[in-house]
Amino acid sequence: MSTEKIPATVITGFLGAGKTTLIRNLLETANGRRIALVINEFGDVGVDGEILKGCGIETCREEDVIELANGCICCTVADDFVPTMKKLLDRPDPPQHIVIETSGLALPQPLVRAFNWPEIKSRVTVDGVVTVVDAKALAEGRFADDEAAVQAQREADPNLEHENPIEELFEDQLNCADMVIVNKTDLLEGDQHAEVTAELKGKVRSGTRLVATRHGKLDAAALLGLGASAEDDMANRLSHHEMEGEEQHDHDDFITFIVDLGQGHDKDALLARIESAIATHDILRIKGFVDVKGSPARLLVQAVGPRLNSYFDRPWKAAEPRATQLVVIGEKHMDRDAIAALLRG
């Protein structure tokens, strides 16, 4: 039996930055390496896991995609994450690499620290923490330390008394990173790329690599094998609360809910309602699967901010119930009932 530790890569980043697309591209260039995926989503519908299970990549077996949907992975380490890791490591044919996709609302620091638990420390190491950022969103002043944007959000939310929780999450995800994937650079114009790069360089730790990508296309050889042993370097990866002397993480600043829309939708009409809901309400993210009338395939819907994308990802399975469920994620002041009513039409 080999005594060499199994490397694990933690992929984090804000909602809709492109984490799942990055992982899919990683699997396509893994050259047969056995990779297990641990997918954590904030909500009860495993959209990201379903996308990866249906990707058609030979090395991406269903049994190698493990979904943790009982809450944010950084808050359920003892109950969910550690037992999951032990099961993976105890397999007769353990994976050669483990990739963990965190929820967009997760702090990476508690997760990385969990690799020091005795049950897993001698058997696995954090090869690297990869943070994916939406370059276009940053160029627009969203999820960045932009005084005007922070002030606008404070004015819009009477319950926000101190710092914007999105800003804190973004700061934490960058401060823990060994590599920052600056994604969606194809959407930038003029000097925006240089401006975004300069902004990020001012936020990350010394030695953190910035890698520009389009559509999350990055070869596995570049993403894996960073050799960071991040669990042994926690003093340099403090979270916002830790730097302020706090040790807690609260998701009360966000709400997540599921809108069940039933079957047989007109594609254009539903997409129009989704666009209207995004434009009218303070929604961070919408994602889910849609049953389109007359189509044998399910429609995958992904929206972050004002940008909405959709495509048919695979045919419905014979025993699979055709249904439409959308996960809506946003800050706590969102009008849940009004959003649901608008989506239902």
Side-chain angles (χ1 to χ4, degrees):
M1 181 179 295
S2 173
T3 58
E4 186 175 343
K5 291 185 179 183
I6 296 173
T9 298
V10 176
I11 297 182
T12 187
F14 210 79
L15 305 164
K19 299 189 297 295
T20 304
T21 303
L22 181 75
I23 292 172
R24 180 166 180 165
N25 289 327
L26 181 158
L27 295 173
E28 289 176 343
T29 60
N31 294 323
R33 187 182 311 191
R34 294 195 313 277
I35 296 178
L37 306 176
V38 179
I39 310 295
N40 176 224
E41 294 196 72
F42 197 72
D44 298 325
V45 177
V47 176
D48 292 351
E50 274 295 304
I51 294 171
L52 292 168
K53 287 177 182 177
C55 68
I57 300 170
E58 185 178 350
T59 54
C60 181
R61 305 175 301 176
E62 284 207 18
E63 60 265 34
D64 290 332
V65 181
I66 301 171
E67 297 173 84
L68 303 179
N70 294 326
C72 174
I73 196 171
C74 68
C75 299
T76 59
V77 165
D79 294 334
D80 287 331
F81 175 68
V82 172
T84 295
M85 291 294 293
K86 288 177 65 178
K87 288 180 181 178
L88 278 175
L89 297 172
D90 289 341
R91 285 182 177 181
D93 60 337
Q96 294 171 304
H97 202 109
I98 300 170
V99 174
I100 303 161
E101 179 191 352
T102 74
S103 157
L105 302 179
L107 287 170
Q109 285 86 350
L111 175 60
V112 174
R113 192 174 290 109
F115 282 81
N116 284 310
W117 283 49
E119 294 95 326
I120 59 178
K121 181 172 178 60
S122 63
R123 305 172 67 186
V124 65
T125 182
V126 182
D127 180 62
V129 178
V130 176
T131 297
V132 187
V133 302
D134 184 332
K136 182 61 174 176
L138 292 183
E140 295 170 349
R142 295 164 41 168
F143 317 141
D145 290 331
D146 183 296
E147 292 183 6
V150 172
Q151 185 60 33
Q153 288 178 330
R154 285 176 174 169
E155 293 173 355
D157 185 357
N159 298 312
L160 192 61
E161 297 177 353
H162 185 46
E163 291 180 282
N164 189 323
I166 297 177
E167 298 293 327
E168 294 178 13
L169 280 172
F170 189 58
E171 174 187 327
D172 293 341
Q173 291 170 352
L174 289 177
N175 197 48
C176 197
D178 298 289
M179 177 183 290
V180 175
I181 306 299
V182 188
N183 196 28
K184 305 183 185 180
T185 55
D186 53 307
L187 302 178
L188 300 180
E189 300 175 355
D191 296 330
Q192 287 182 327
H193 193 172
E195 292 168 357
V196 167
T197 300
E199 180 181 352
L200 288 171
K201 284 182 177 178
K203 296 177 182 293
V204 300
R205 294 177 297 116
S206 176
T208 300
R209 285 172 270 184
L210 301 183
V211 180
T213 60
R214 300 184 177 192
H215 309 291
K217 288 193 176 297
L218 186 65
D219 194 280
L223 199 60
L224 308 182
L226 301 183
S229 299
E231 72 275 14
D232 296 326
D233 184 40
M234 294 310 301
N236 293 317
R237 301 168 188 260
L238 297 179
S239 71
H240 178 93
H241 290 301
E242 288 169 333
M243 286 186 284
E244 290 191 344
E246 302 175 28
E247 295 183 354
Q248 60 193 24
H249 174 39
D250 190 355
H251 286 305
D252 290 344
D253 295 306
F254 303 93
I255 61 171
T256 298
F257 62 94
I258 298 167
V259 181
D260 194 333
L261 300 177
Q263 299 178 319
H265 289 275
D266 178 271
K267 175 185 172 183
D268 293 338
L270 179 57
L271 292 180
R273 293 201 299 274
I274 293 173
E275 288 181 335
S276 178
I278 292 170
T280 306
H281 298 276
D282 191 12
I283 296 173
L284 296 176
R285 180 84 187 274
I286 292 181
K287 58 182 179 178
F289 300 105
V290 176
D291 174 36
V292 175
K293 187 186 304 181
S295 173
R298 66 183 187 180
L299 182 72
L300 170 62
V301 173
Q302 296 262 31
V304 55
R307 296 194 299 280
L308 172 63
N309 295 302
S310 65
Y311 62 89
F312 292 100
D313 75 323
R314 66 162 174 80
W316 291 99
K317 297 177 182 178
E320 184 178 20
R322 294 179 61 130
T324 299
Q325 289 186 315
L326 298 178
V327 179
V328 181
I329 304 174
E331 294 187 75
K332 61 184 178 182
H333 61 270
M334 281 198 314
D335 190 334
R336 172 174 175 163
D337 292 337
I339 292 170
L342 187 52
L343 291 174
R344 291 188 177 107

